[in-house]
Amino acid sequence: MADTATTASAAAAASAANASTDAPPFQLGKPRFQQTSFYGRFRHFLDIIDPRTLFVTERRLREAVQLLEDYKHGTLRPGVTNEQLWSAQKIKQAILHPDTNEKIFMPFRMSGYIPFGTPIVVGLLLPNQTLASTVFWQWLNQSHNACVNYANRNATKPSPVSKFIQGYLGAVISAVSIAVGLNVLVQKANKFTPATRLLVQRFVPFPAVASANICNVVLMRYGELQEGIDVLDGDGNLVGSSKIAARHALLETALTRVVLPMPILVLPPIVMSVLEKTALLQARPRLLLPVQSLVCLAAFGLALPLAISLFPQMSEIETSQLEPEIAQATSGRTVVYNKGL
């Protein structure tokens, strides 16, 4: 009760300081934008993947966390605006894991996914790849994906390192096998002209990456299916651990991992096949790689927020769909769980 009262007083103080701003009233631990609509989730995840948060200093992070703690305990200094509170929460959510409150290593944060992932996408889409280069780029891509999946998993239950290694090896083997197999089939397809074969080869990474992404998510987070994940009531109180909620979380995450590579690995080959015929690139072939890099960056920047906005990170599910003990443990009709990213 004391925490509720102090938070309420902090909210009132923040409201008084925000009479002239456009920012919505701050809610601790809640998204700034409505999560019931795709557009609201899209706006929310644009904040989560904002690469500017990669440059936040340790001091600025501590200040943001302290500001939120002050708000929670009702000790907020006068004059703090809703915009400052939302900014502090954005910084915390972009850098710290929601379950462990530990810093996520920079290349594996969602805000680092595009800057660190784009060079890998460019490598995957390079034309005339050898067997060795195909294996290398698929390995590098799934290594990065595995680390991102593990770093952004639901961490309400401990996960041994052995599970991470098993998932990592399974994802890499599946990606390399599919990519190499498809490349071999294309090379042996006598009906294709050299130009058609080259074009088809450019699309090989998509089925390989999409299939491997599903394996990656399932294998990297298989422990959640065995142990279950925590589900919370409307007030954030722990209700119990649910394996059914874990299945929903993994299914939603796997779907986003199939949608994610579609624009990234399908659009650039189409765009580049058109651009390569222009007089500029035919006269200056050295510009091909920089242009392809920019096209991949644009596709990645579009695809990531669209894919992860398909489902809210804190997903809601009716207790009637969960285990009987979960339904009996709460009077609420629904509970929420951290889907992971």
Side-chain angles (χ1 to χ4, degrees), residues 54-340:
L54 295 172
F55 303 99
V56 171
T57 63
E58 190 71 31
R59 178 181 176 183
R60 179 70 185 96
L61 175 61
R62 286 198 302 269
E63 289 173 352
V65 172
Q66 186 58 53
L67 190 65
L68 297 175
E69 285 295 311
D70 291 345
Y71 176 89
K72 180 179 180 180
H73 296 105
T75 57
L76 204 60
R77 65 182 184 275
V80 175
T81 64
N82 281 321
E83 189 61 48
Q84 288 174 304
L85 290 167
W86 285 121
S87 177
Q89 184 157 275
K90 171 182 173 177
I91 289 171
K92 182 182 177 183
Q93 289 178 338
I95 298 175
L96 303 182
H97 192 285
D99 295 329
T100 64
N101 274 324
E102 294 178 356
K103 284 183 70 175
I104 299 173
F105 186 45
M106 188 183 293
F108 308 143
R109 298 174 196 167
M110 294 310 292
S111 55
Y113 204 22
I114 294 174
F116 290 96
T118 298
I120 299 173
V121 172
V122 174
L124 284 170
L125 295 175
L126 289 173
N128 300 315
Q129 296 220 30
T130 63
L131 177 63
S133 66
T134 298
V135 170
F136 171 76
W137 288 113
Q138 289 290 346
W139 164 76
L140 187 60
N141 182 53
Q142 290 306 321
S143 297
H144 184 235
N145 284 345
C147 292
V148 170
N149 288 336
Y150 185 79
N152 294 279
R153 72 197 185 283
N154 181 304
T156 54
K157 293 287 186 295
S159 179
V161 177
S162 60
K163 296 290 183 185
F164 170 81
I165 296 173
Q166 289 172 12
Y168 169 71
L169 291 176
V172 169
I173 291 170
S174 63
V176 171
S177 301
I178 294 168
V180 171
L182 289 174
N183 270 320
V184 170
L185 287 175
V186 172
Q187 290 290 349
K188 291 184 177 181
N190 297 323
K191 294 180 180 179
F192 292 153
T193 65
T196 304
R197 184 179 288 113
L198 178 61
L199 183 62
V200 171
Q201 275 185 305
R202 282 183 157 180
F203 289 97
V204 164
F206 172 66
V209 169
S211 303
N213 281 355
I214 297 174
C215 296
N216 203 321
V217 170
V218 173
L219 292 171
M220 293 298 299
R221 297 174 56 178
Y222 186 70
E224 296 174 29
L225 294 174
Q226 294 179 311
E227 303 291 332
I229 59 175
D230 289 350
V231 293
L232 313 173
D233 62 19
D235 297 322
N237 300 313
L238 177 63
V239 175
S241 184
S242 170
K243 294 180 181 179
I244 297 175
R247 286 206 299 270
H248 281 263
L250 261 66
L251 176 61
E252 292 169 353
T253 306
L255 284 173
T256 65
R257 291 299 191 271
V258 172
V259 173
L260 177 59
M262 282 183 185
I264 300 172
L265 298 177
V266 173
L267 286 180
I270 296 173
V271 173
M272 289 305 298
S273 66
V274 174
L275 293 179
E276 284 169 359
K277 297 174 183 177
T278 62
L280 175 66
L281 291 184
Q282 285 188 342
R284 297 174 177 83
R286 290 184 179 180
L287 292 177
L288 278 172
L289 186 57
V291 169
Q292 180 168 325
S293 300
L294 289 175
V295 171
C296 290
L297 179 62
F300 210 157
L302 171 69
L304 183 58
L306 288 176
I308 60 178
S309 299
L310 291 175
F311 305 99
Q313 182 171 357
M314 298 303 296
S315 292
E316 190 174 71
I317 187 171
E318 293 186 1
T319 53
S320 59
Q321 299 180 37
L322 301 178
E323 294 87 345
E325 58 269 25
I326 298 293
Q328 294 168 5
T330 179
S331 57
R333 190 175 63 87
T334 62
V335 290
V336 297
Y337 58 90
N338 176 17
K339 169 184 70 68

